[in-house]
Amino acid sequence: MFARRIAVIGSGYVGLTTGACLASLGHRVVCADIDSAKVERLREGVVDILEPGLADLVVENRAAGRLEFVVGAREAVGGGDGDPVEVVFLCVPTPMGVGGAADLAAVRAVAEEVRHLLPSGCVVVNKSTVPVGTAEATRRLLNRRDVAVVSNPEFLREGSAVQDFLHPDRIVVGSDAQDAAERVAALYSKLGAPTVLTDAASAELVKYAANCFLAMKLSYVNALAELCDVLGADVGDVTEGMGHDRRIGQAFLRPGPGWGGSCLPKDTQALVQVAAAAGIDVPLVSASIETNERQQRLMLDKIRAAVGGSLAGRRLGLLGLTFKAGTDDLRDSPALAVARLLRGEGAELTAYDPGCPHAVPGMTDAVTVVDEPLLVAKGADALVVLTEWPEFRSLDWAAVAGALTSRVVVDTRNLLDSDVLRRAGISWVGVGRR
């Protein structure tokens, strides 16, 4: 494998993981960000996001001279005195815009900023999740016949992004310029992963198709859990029986308070918008979104019933705020969505999350954030598990029982061992469980 000179524009979850992991594969990488304070911290080996193994990769590759950080895309693409960059990865935010469509303002801004700085023969790679047609739009915006545009979607899960990058299920690369696609695919040759080489539009659609399928699977299991609650069945046994079917598998078959995070909510909405623009209805995806919103209200109903029918003035302790365990990401967190519903009915909320030890203005305003799990139980009318942090299983449940006013736990993740809680004198309420 030949080492390439690579620029990565954007140093968030995707960009920083991409840059550090490509450097670990032997490439020379410069990562850019518009936040000068963040760049300075990264130069010192300080990684602000909670992502196992990422900080170690940054420090190791900085020391080896394969990874550097600069302020601004122009500096990354055209500011070096050494060899010109050969590949430029765009890893900028594409948040949900008006009507649910992806907001591509950052992609367009970077393309406009660097188009005259790109060396001849360079390849621009859209790594961010973007709608079908973005590669073509980027190519037109660059207006450079000597620069190819490639779609190379990421499939990184927060909390295991480094592992996912270095041990991928597949690598998808799409371009109407076959040689450019092969050059990008070659960057990953050390990984030995199955590689799908296709056109740009197909590569762009793969990411949406995969995430929307996972969202549908999660919404389906949440609907099954509701049915189990009504019929007296056990969703754990039902999903175990389903999961042994190789056509279905065990993954994404655990009910919860709904799905969230930085990808599934915006990607499902974006696919609905993309399909609508093409004159196509995707009712399965639309129903999954509706089911997800309904799931949060069902959790509200379950918690309300557990405390006697009214939430007004009730003190509730919340275990978990992040959208999933292993991350500090609060974006589109179902835990926060449920918290806001609880607060809207007058509940007083205290919360603890290992990944979020302090209040985050604008995000955690509905709750009082504390830094010890026992503090959420003190004087609480119920404890509610909203994020599946493994350490919640090993809490001192006898001490928790002593702190609670009413000894009841609503476990929206079916995380805890009901027998352990029962021995501590605590009533356990799960989702779809007998």
Side-chain angles (χ1 to χ4, degrees):
M1 182 199 78
F2 292 103
R4 298 296 186 185
R5 185 84 167 102
I6 298 170
V8 177
I9 313 303
S11 297
Y13 277 101
V14 174
L16 187 56
T17 302
T18 297
C21 288
L22 285 172
S24 75
L25 296 178
H27 303 294
R28 293 173 294 158
V29 182
V30 54
C31 289
D33 201 274
I34 59 174
D35 186 338
S36 59
K38 178 198 283 188
V39 168
E40 190 57 40
R41 290 193 298 274
L42 288 170
R43 287 171 176 169
E44 296 172 356
V46 178
V47 175
D48 295 331
I49 55 180
L50 180 60
E51 195 60 60
L54 185 54
D56 292 338
L57 278 186
V58 168
V59 171
E60 174 186 331
N61 288 285
R62 284 277 294 157
R66 292 188 296 265
L67 181 63
E68 58 180 308
F69 297 96
V70 299
V71 179
R74 294 178 64 88
E75 181 67 20
V77 174
D81 297 326
D83 298 333
V85 294
E86 300 170 83
V87 184
V88 177
F89 281 86
L90 304 186
C91 301
V92 295
T94 54
M96 191 187 305
V98 177
D103 183 348
L104 300 178
V107 174
R108 290 191 292 268
V110 171
E112 290 175 349
E113 183 178 359
V114 304
R115 62 181 173 180
H116 297 305
L117 299 173
L118 297 168
S120 181
C122 179
V123 178
V124 173
V125 182
N126 274 329
K127 195 72 172 172
S128 305
T129 302
V130 294
V132 175
T134 302
E136 175 59 21
T138 303
R139 187 190 64 77
R140 291 196 303 269
L141 182 58
L142 292 174
N143 195 26
R144 293 279 302 271
R145 291 181 178 273
D146 59 339
V147 173
V149 178
V150 170
S151 175
N152 174 217
E154 53 85 14
F155 300 97
L156 306 177
R157 298 167 297 167
E158 291 184 33
S160 58
V162 171
Q163 176 74 11
D164 290 344
F165 191 102
L166 297 177
H167 303 277
D169 293 329
R170 77 292 202 192
I171 293 165
V172 177
V173 183
S175 179
D176 298 330
Q178 183 72 13
D179 60 332
E182 290 174 354
R183 285 171 60 191
V184 172
L187 299 176
Y188 304 97
S189 60
K190 277 188 176 180
L191 302 179
T195 301
V196 178
L197 287 176
T198 183
D199 58 275
S202 298
E204 289 165 337
L205 187 55
V206 166
K207 179 60 184 291
Y208 284 124
N211 275 356
C212 289
F213 183 83
L214 296 176
M216 287 191 291
K217 197 172 181 182
L218 287 169
S219 285
Y220 179 64
V221 76
N222 282 335
L224 283 180
E226 181 186 5
L227 186 61
C228 287
D229 273 333
V230 173
L231 299 180
D234 191 301
V235 73
D237 294 342
V238 172
T239 55
E240 182 182 3
M242 292 169 57
H244 285 297
D245 187 324
R246 288 189 298 273
R247 298 168 300 173
I248 298 173
Q250 299 281 356
F252 283 74
L253 283 181
R254 297 194 63 169
W259 39 266
S262 62
C263 292
L264 297 190
K266 74 181 183 70
D267 290 356
T268 49
Q269 291 284 357
L271 184 62
V272 169
Q273 294 299 316
V274 167
I280 302 296
D281 188 22
V282 281
L284 285 175
V285 180
S286 298
S288 298
I289 296 170
E290 294 168 5
T291 300
N292 193 51
E293 294 169 350
R294 183 168 182 271
Q295 185 70 6
Q296 295 163 5
R297 295 191 295 272
L298 288 174
M299 297 303 100
L300 177 71
D301 295 342
K302 190 177 287 286
I303 296 164
R304 187 191 301 112
V307 297
S310 174
L311 289 163
R314 295 287 193 173
R315 188 181 183 285
L316 301 177
L318 308 183
L319 290 174
L321 292 172
T322 54
F323 87 95
K324 62 179 282 190
T327 179
D328 56 0
D329 198 347
L330 299 169
R331 289 175 292 177
D332 274 304
S333 169
L336 287 178
V338 172
R340 285 189 289 268
L341 291 173
L342 293 168
R343 189 72 187 89
E345 294 207 5
E348 298 176 11
L349 308 175
T350 303
Y352 167 77
D353 189 294
C356 180
H358 308 291
V360 179
M363 299 291 281
T364 62
D365 298 342
V367 304
T368 299
V369 179
V370 296
D371 58 4
E372 289 185 29
L374 198 58
L375 292 177
V376 302
K378 187 175 181 181
D381 295 300
L383 208 57
V384 183
V385 178
L386 291 170
T387 309
E388 73 284 15
W389 288 94
E391 46 263 60
F392 292 160
R393 294 194 188 100
S394 57
L395 293 179
D396 183 344
W397 287 104
V400 170
L404 288 168
T405 296
S406 299
R407 295 183 174 184
V408 59
V409 169
V410 180
D411 186 355
T412 70
R413 296 283 187 169
N414 291 342
L415 174 72
L416 307 177
D417 186 328
S418 60
D419 291 334
V420 170
L421 268 66
R422 199 168 292 117
R423 287 195 294 270
I426 300 173
S427 296
W428 179 84
V429 179
V431 178
R433 299 297 301 274
R434 284 194 302 270

